[in-house]
Amino acid sequence: MDDNPRPSKRARTTSSTPEDTTICAQKLSPIPPAQLMLALPSLLAHPPTHRLHTRSLYLSRFALRKALGLGQLELSEECRAWTELAEVGFKIGLDEPGTESEVERAITKALLITQKHPSLRLYRPQLTRLSARLSSHQHNPKLAQSILKRLLTHFLLPSDPPHVVYASHLAYITSLSSSSSSHPINATGPPSPQRQQTFTSNFKARGAIRDLHELATRNGHRSIELLALVLELKDLMHNGVWNDVGPSLSGVEDALGLGLEFRVDAVRVAAAASGADVNVEATGTVTDRSVVSGQGNAAKVDGMSSLEKVLVVHVLLIGVIYYTYIGDNTNAQTRMKKLHDLLDTDVLQAFGPHGIIDVPFPPSSSSSPSPALQIQATHPRLILALGFLISAIAKRDPVGRKPKRRIFAAEGVVVVDKELRKDVPVPVWAGGQDVQAYRARMGRVKADLVCELVGVAVTRSEFDEAEGHLAELVAHLRNCGLFSEYSARVSLHHAHLAHALGRDERASKCYKVAAHLSRRRVKTEVAPEGDDDDDGCEDAWVNTAARAGYLWLRIGVLSRAREAGATAESDSGCGSASRARTRTEEELEWDLLRREGEAVISECEGLGGTLQGIGKVISACLSSGFLQAKTHLRAALALSTGAQDNHLRALVLALVAAQYMHTSSEHAEAMLATAEQLGAGLGAVAKSGGGVGGGVGRETGGGGTGQEQVRKEKTGLGNAHLRLWIGERSLELKRRSGEDAAATKQAGINERLRHAVARVKKRKLVEVD
């Protein structure tokens, strides 16, 4: 016998006869054709990645046209049909012939119905948003903002559902933010009418965000309050108002419960840097023992809502970018560590499968529960790719066997390539434009990652890898249709590569091209016919960097010419009249260079820590006084040290050492030793079996000892030009102090470095295999 027998089936209590089936069929009345047509769009809906998506859209439009043509719909159904017809038109695309006029007609018809019948007033906000979207497509942003503003001030009531009110506020903020161009607030030069209009739009957007924050505060909706704070922070950063980004970021971090933790980390880092044993609790800065001990942080995030988790991730991303931009490596690394800890957990689940977050509202005592507000945030797959990109940007130090900047960038390219091969997870109601926007963002992230690989290869004098990554970058940009956006940066990378290889003429041309492509546009400027795709795009940072690089190149060329002239003059013994004429021409060239450098140096001051440090170095080289140059170099050293930019720091240390060659030999020798160590670290080779990601020119086996020696000389010496300059000064100091053995050893090292420099010069003539 079975101890657990299968239960017996339930016995039938009634019998079904053909007569019963006939009676049931007679009770079911047929669906009217108009209502059937109205229900078809929801039944035929497919996501944009489905093979039948396009067919479903055209069938839905056909069904809605038929339903409206039959004339059998009630007013509510007719209003719904016109609204759905407009929405389907947006999904199909307004560039399709006849679609734009049909959408405009559908919105007008539906708005007329809602005006005549107050019971259908809840359709009005959605139709107004669709109308504003249509106006933006027709290049009339002022009309879009006007109708959205009128909706907020003259139509919506306090008794309306919260999700309707907040959705209208967010639509108005989006319209104001999208109408502002990419001109930064701190741009130099006289304000053009276009920039003045941009400033007005920025201030209006910030005012609309603050109105949303005040409304959420009055209603007691904390999630919307936090969202408004993050929106204001994003707007400040997007428009380059860097002076206000710091205070806004601190306020948002405090509101999200992150500020206390970061302040504790700052105290610990400061104590570690000073070598003092500081009791964090005794300082009075922190009172929460769980934060001091590092416990409870994960629990705080786990107890947050989905929207709060999403906002935390975005605030951390913005914080890393901001502190990296201003050159504060300590605060950037603190926030990046927190970001990595969150991304390693299940925080991405808060974004949902499509990046759409539901914001519920508590039910009020006088009304039924309000539907949740759905907010479109960044796609979770894009957040993962951005994590790699932000990490690569924040890791500025290129010194070492495996620089983290290259590791994060190389792994990020792999992740993005995998994501681009997958189907895009989008909701059913999304359109083809959403898929294209997702792929375009992923394409931009990959382009930025490859740019990081190019940058780290150039700084480490790995020229084969730099050329390979540049070719990969250009091919990717052409395939994605993004070359116009990145053409200035590509030209700047080519200029840096040519500058490092000693190709002065090519570097000069590339710097000029990069500056031209990233120049400031005026409203009346029209691109040459046929060159729209390659005319570049305005970028104040790239423009200033290109002009600073060109200025630095000219300083080097003039200094080299002056040294060569002095040597030739001493060898030939030419007359005093010829020497005076040569010096007069030289002084005129330097005066011209100083006048051109003033504008570049002033613009470097307002564009982040990296360019500010470069501006200080250029100021020191163009200064006529010793003390002024010393002051500028000291400031540049502080900036590069705080940003952990050891590539720039090695150059600054070498220049500072040159100031002490004849006044303090010990100090000069110590600085030269530090600069030499950094320069050697720029070419450190990974140990056997520990390959580094992104090695385009890496040997894969089968090479002889000659090829291995060539590779070692290419990648094992770092910045050979800088190290040779340092070695010559070190040799001079050692000979001056009578250290014969050390001088002989340094002479051998210098000889090896001269061979490396000669190889670079031959390489530009394609004489090295």
Side-chain angles (χ1 to χ4, degrees):
M1 293 292 293
D2 190 359
D3 295 335
N4 188 15
R6 181 181 179 184
S8 59
K9 294 183 179 180
R10 186 180 63 173
R12 182 186 293 273
T13 57
T14 59
S15 60
S16 177
T17 61
E19 291 79 4
D20 295 333
T21 304
T22 304
I23 294 172
C24 183
Q26 292 176 354
K27 292 181 179 179
L28 294 176
S29 58
I31 300 177
Q35 294 183 359
L36 179 60
M37 294 292 181
L38 189 59
L40 275 179
S42 60
L43 299 175
L44 296 174
H46 288 293
T49 53
H50 196 276
R51 61 186 182 88
L52 298 177
H53 171 71
T54 304
R55 182 180 298 181
S56 68
L57 290 179
Y58 281 94
L59 286 176
S60 299
R61 184 169 66 175
F62 177 79
L64 291 170
R65 288 173 178 173
K66 281 290 185 181
L68 291 168
L70 292 176
Q72 300 176 359
L73 296 175
E74 297 180 359
L75 286 174
S76 59
E77 294 174 339
E78 184 180 357
C79 185
R80 173 188 165 188
W82 286 117
T83 305
E84 289 190 8
L85 184 60
E87 293 173 345
V88 170
F90 277 109
K91 291 181 184 179
I92 292 175
L94 298 180
D95 296 330
E96 196 76 16
T99 303
E100 182 178 341
S101 59
E102 184 180 43
V103 168
E104 188 172 6
R105 178 171 174 267
I107 294 174
T108 304
K109 289 281 189 181
L111 285 173
L112 288 175
I113 295 175
T114 58
Q115 290 176 359
K116 294 179 180 179
H117 299 83
S119 61
L120 301 176
R121 69 184 305 275
L122 285 182
Y123 279 94
R124 184 73 176 273
Q126 172 65 7
L127 291 168
T128 304
R129 291 194 292 269
L130 292 177
S131 179
R133 186 176 171 186
L134 178 63
S135 299
S136 299
H137 175 78
Q138 295 172 343
H139 306 289
N140 194 354
K142 289 186 177 180
L143 177 60
Q145 297 163 15
S146 175
I147 60 179
L148 288 171
K149 182 67 175 179
R150 198 181 312 122
L151 173 69
L152 294 174
T153 56
H154 295 87
F155 182 80
L156 292 177
L157 301 175
S159 59
D160 287 329
H163 74 284
V164 174
V165 177
Y166 291 136
S168 302
H169 277 274
L170 292 175
Y172 181 52
I173 294 170
T174 303
S175 178
L176 290 171
S177 300
S178 60
S179 65
S180 61
S181 63
S182 59
H183 293 281
I185 297 297
N186 58 357
T188 58
S192 62
Q194 185 182 10
R195 285 177 59 202
Q196 189 65 36
Q197 182 180 358
T198 298
F199 299 161
T200 304
S201 298
N202 293 333
F203 293 139
K204 285 184 178 179
R206 246 163 277 151
I209 293 172
R210 287 165 186 161
D211 292 341
L212 174 64
H213 183 267
E214 293 177 1
L215 177 63
T217 303
R218 287 198 304 268
N219 296 336
H221 296 152
R222 174 170 169 74
S223 297
I224 306 300
E225 289 183 54
L226 296 175
L227 175 63
L229 292 175
V230 176
L231 287 176
E232 183 176 5
L233 173 62
K234 173 182 171 295
D235 183 81
L236 291 171
M237 184 173 178
H238 175 74
N239 293 291
V241 193
W242 297 104
N243 293 332
D244 296 338
V245 171
S248 177
L249 178 62
S250 300
V252 175
E253 288 176 345
D254 289 338
L256 291 170
L258 301 173
L260 187 62
E261 178 182 352
F262 294 149
R263 283 194 290 272
V264 170
D265 291 338
V267 171
R268 285 174 174 165
V269 171
S274 61
D277 186 12
V278 178
N279 187 354
V280 180
E281 296 183 61
T283 60
T285 307
V286 179
T287 57
D288 190 350
R289 291 180 175 270
S290 65
V291 177
V292 173
S293 61
Q295 301 174 355
N297 297 329
K300 287 182 179 180
V301 176
D302 292 339
M304 293 181 176
S305 64
S306 296
L307 179 61
E308 290 175 343
K309 292 180 181 178
V310 170
L311 296 179
V312 165
V313 172
H314 282 85
V315 169
L316 290 175
L317 289 172
I318 294 175
V320 173
I321 295 172
Y322 169 70
Y323 284 111
T324 302
Y325 179 82
I326 66 174
D328 189 347
N329 182 72
T330 301
N331 280 310
Q333 298 306 317
T334 301
R335 284 153 180 81
M336 192 172 69
K337 182 179 181 300
K338 179 70 174 178
L339 177 64
H340 287 174
D341 293 341
L342 289 180
L343 293 179
D344 289 338
T345 62
D346 58 349
V347 72
L348 290 181
Q349 294 182 3
F351 289 80
H354 311 126
I356 300 172
I357 300 99
D358 290 337
V359 183
F361 299 104
S364 60
S365 57
S366 60
S367 62
S368 59
S370 173
L373 172 67
Q374 289 189 328
I375 297 176
Q376 176 69 65
T378 310
H379 200 283
R381 294 187 181 181
L382 191 59
I383 286 290
L384 183 62
L386 284 174
F388 284 99
L389 175 60
I390 298 303
S391 301
I393 292 173
K395 296 293 184 179
R396 306 308 306 161
D397 188 6
V399 175
R401 298 183 183 275
K402 295 182 180 180
K404 292 184 179 180
R405 180 183 177 188
R406 181 165 63 187
I407 292 175
F408 279 115
E411 292 300 325
V413 170
V414 174
V415 170
V416 173
D417 285 337
K418 289 181 180 178
E419 294 297 337
L420 289 175
R421 287 193 292 267
K422 298 178 181 177
D423 288 336
V424 183
V426 290
V428 176
W429 46 261
Q433 302 88 347
D434 299 307
V435 177
Q436 294 175 2
Y438 170 84
R439 294 193 177 277
R441 292 189 184 101
M442 276 293 188
R444 291 185 179 92
V445 171
K446 181 180 177 180
D448 292 336
L449 289 167
V450 179
C451 285
E452 291 299 314
L453 290 175
V454 175
V456 73
V458 172
T459 55
R460 291 175 60 85
S461 301
E462 298 169 351
F463 304 122
D464 290 335
E465 293 189 7
E467 290 177 349
H469 290 310
L470 272 173
E472 178 188 0
L473 175 63
V474 172
H476 170 71
L477 294 175
R478 289 296 188 187
N479 290 335
C480 297
L482 299 173
F483 188 80
S484 178
E485 295 182 28
Y486 285 82
S487 57
R489 290 175 62 180
V490 172
S491 300
L492 184 60
H493 283 310
H494 275 288
H496 289 158
L497 178 59
H499 200 160
L501 289 171
R503 305 179 185 178
D504 297 342
E505 185 177 354
R506 176 175 172 80
S508 175
K509 291 180 180 179
C510 290
Y511 280 131
K512 291 179 181 178
V513 170
H516 173 76
L517 293 175
S518 59
R519 69 193 182 280
R520 181 188 302 162
R521 266 65 167 181
V522 295
K523 194 171 185 180
T524 57
E525 184 175 351
V526 180
E529 185 176 356
D531 293 341
D532 295 348
D533 294 337
D534 297 331
D535 191 49
C537 123
E538 181 177 349
D539 192 325
W541 200 96
V542 173
N543 182 267
T544 305
R547 293 163 58 202
Y550 179 64
L551 190 66
W552 183 250
L553 177 67
R554 291 178 60 190
I555 291 173
V557 171
L558 285 178
S559 300
R560 189 192 311 155
R562 181 169 56 185
E563 292 179 1
T567 304
E569 183 179 310
S570 61
D571 294 340
S572 61
C574 55
S576 58
S578 176
R579 288 198 301 268
R581 183 171 60 253
T582 303
R583 289 172 182 170
T584 302
E585 294 175 354
E586 215 175 89
E587 289 299 326
L588 289 175
E589 291 180 357
W590 278 104
D591 290 340
L592 178 62
L593 200 60
R594 290 188 183 96
R595 286 196 297 270
E596 294 179 0
E598 289 177 359
V600 177
I601 293 169
S602 63
E603 292 186 16
C604 287
E605 289 295 325
L607 291 174
T610 301
L611 280 181
Q612 187 177 358
I614 293 173
K616 294 295 183 182
V617 173
I618 295 176
S619 299
C621 294
L622 295 178
S623 297
S624 56
F626 176 81
L627 293 178
Q628 293 178 353
K630 191 175 178 181
T631 303
H632 291 310
L633 288 175
R634 188 183 296 113
L637 183 60
L639 289 169
S640 59
T641 303
Q644 280 294 292
D645 188 356
N646 282 328
H647 180 259
L648 178 61
R649 184 164 169 253
L651 172 65
V652 176
L653 285 170
L655 293 175
V656 172
Q659 300 279 335
Y660 292 96
M661 285 288 293
H662 302 287
T663 56
S664 178
S665 300
E666 295 181 358
H667 193 48
E669 193 169 359
M671 287 198 165
L672 287 174
T674 305
E676 160 66 20
Q677 183 179 4
L678 294 176
L682 289 171
V685 184
K687 296 181 180 178
S688 59
V692 179
V696 175
R698 189 175 60 190
E699 293 282 338
T700 56
T705 56
Q707 293 180 356
E708 293 176 359
Q709 183 66 22
V710 168
R711 175 177 175 269
K712 184 177 179 181
E713 290 185 3
K714 282 185 179 181
T715 60
L717 293 178
N719 194 330
H721 292 79
L722 177 63
R723 292 187 66 191
L724 178 59
W725 188 92
I726 294 172
E728 290 174 347
R729 272 69 188 169
S730 299
L731 179 61
E732 180 183 347
L733 291 175
K734 287 179 173 57
R735 286 176 176 174
R736 191 187 303 171
S737 60
E739 301 176 11
D740 295 336
T744 303
K745 182 179 179 181
Q746 184 64 51
I749 296 174
N750 291 352
E751 188 64 26
R752 185 186 175 196
L753 291 173
R754 285 193 187 91
H755 285 301
V757 172
R759 291 187 61 82
V760 174
K761 293 180 179 179
K762 290 181 180 180
R763 187 186 185 281
K764 70 178 181 179
L765 300 176
V766 200
E767 294 183 11
V768 178
D769 296 333

